Amino acid sequence: MAKTKVFMSFDYDHDESLKILLVGQAKLEDSPFELADWSIKEAIDENWKKYARTRIKSVDVVCVICGKNTDTATGVSAELSIAQEEGVSYFLLAGYSAGGNVKPKSAKSTDQMYNWTWPNLKTVIGGGR
């Protein structure tokens, strides 16, 4: 069975450790997903947006890892906006179990943030949201 292709969006300046954790989970034997791509750390301009749009359109789902400063991460907000514009499925993942996670500015008020547990991750990547 083909694995779900996931684009991972996260705050490079504050949450790179969370990216490393998700990369590790993608490598687990029972992982239902593969990371096809992840957030782009470059200046946001028209070329960046075109490149990000191409990458986001090529995946099945976008995983937005939310940390304590995600609301100030312009790249995360831009990537989420692109997913919304392109109709690519996405979900918000709470990066820190202790709380304090915030949504990116482009998130909808109705977007739920899911706790990051292995069972939850498998469910939301599989479309259970």
Side-chain angles (χ1 to χ4, degrees):
M1 184 168 129
K3 292 187 175 198
T4 301
K5 291 182 185 174
V6 176
F7 179 95
M8 176 182 21
S9 182
F10 64 97
D11 180 355
Y12 261 102
D13 294 329
H14 300 100
D15 300 322
E16 193 167 7
S17 61
L18 298 176
K19 174 200 90 160
I20 292 166
L21 293 172
L22 192 61
V23 168
Q25 286 184 303
K27 293 178 182 179
L28 294 175
E29 188 174 309
D30 64 334
S31 176
F33 68 97
E34 63 184 357
L35 295 171
D37 237 322
W38 46 75
S39 230
I40 307 158
K41 182 171 174 75
E42 295 172 10
I44 298 175
D45 61 14
E46 285 310 307
N47 286 334
W48 179 92
K49 287 182 179 179
K50 287 179 190 174
Y51 185 54
R53 188 173 302 277
T54 299
R55 293 166 82 174
I56 289 168
K57 285 171 47 174
S58 73
V59 300
D60 301 308
V61 66
V62 173
C63 171
V64 180
I65 302 176
C66 298
K68 297 176 183 177
N69 300 288
T70 307
D71 58 338
T72 64
T74 55
V76 174
S77 196
E79 289 165 347
L80 178 53
S81 291
I82 291 168
Q84 292 165 339
E85 291 165 9
E86 294 297 335
V88 176
S89 180
Y90 68 90
F91 64 92
L92 308 179
L93 189 64
Y96 299 98
S97 60
N101 304 297
V102 293
K103 296 178 181 182
K105 287 185 179 173
S106 60
K108 298 175 183 174
S109 61
T110 55
D111 286 342
Q112 180 179 346
M113 192 180 310
Y114 295 90
N115 290 330
W116 189 343
T117 66
W118 190 227
N120 267 0
L121 190 57
K122 288 180 175 181
T123 299
V124 295
I125 284 178
R129 45 189 183 281

